[in-house]
Amino acid sequence: MERKRVIRTLITLCLMGALVLVLYMSQDHDSSNPHSSIPRETWINGPKGHGYAVLNNQQPWKQCYTCHEEKGLGGEVYCQSCHDQSGAKVVIPKKPL
C-alpha cells in the first residue's frame, strides 16, 4: 500500500512540474500572432520566412491583409510602406474584382 502511494505522489509531482513548465514556456507566446514563435529577424530574412510566404501565397488579401488590419497595422498600405522603406521593388498582388 505504501509503495502505491509513493508512486502516485511521484506521478502527481511530475504532472504538476510539467504544468508549471508549460505555463512558464507559454508566457512569451502570443496566440493571435502566427509569427510569434519565430524571431523577427528569422521571419523577415530566413529561408522559410517572409519571402517564402509571399512566393507561396499569391493571395495576401485572404491571409495577410485581414490579420494585419485586425492588429491595426493596415492591409496593403502596411505591406507597401515596408517595401518602400526597404527599397524592395515589388508589385503587390491586387484582390480580383
Side-chain angles (χ1 to χ4, degrees):
M1 188 70 152
E2 183 65 30
R3 184 175 176 193
K4 285 185 178 181
R5 187 171 187 187
V6 169
I7 291 173
R8 277 188 276 168
T9 302
L10 284 174
I11 291 172
T12 301
L13 289 174
C14 288
L15 289 174
M16 293 294 281
L19 177 63
V20 168
L21 182 64
V22 166
L23 291 174
Y24 176 75
M25 298 294 283
S26 67
Q27 293 300 311
D28 293 335
H29 182 71
D30 178 6
S31 61
S32 66
N33 181 358
H35 314 301
S36 67
S37 64
I38 305 167
R40 179 175 168 76
E41 186 60 32
T42 302
W43 166 243
I44 298 296
N45 299 317
K48 293 272 186 165
H50 174 264
Y52 176 82
V54 169
L55 292 174
N56 290 290
N57 172 20
Q58 293 298 313
Q59 300 174 344
W61 56 88
K62 284 186 175 179
Q63 291 177 321
C64 305
Y65 296 167
T66 305
C67 184
H68 289 170
E69 287 169 358
E70 287 173 4
K71 296 282 183 192
L73 301 171
E76 186 177 343
V77 174
Y78 174 71
C79 295
Q80 190 60 55
S81 69
C82 188
H83 291 160
D84 291 344
Q85 288 175 9
S86 67
K89 303 292 184 215
V90 295
V91 176
I92 297 176
K94 302 287 185 198
K95 182 177 181 177
L97 300 171

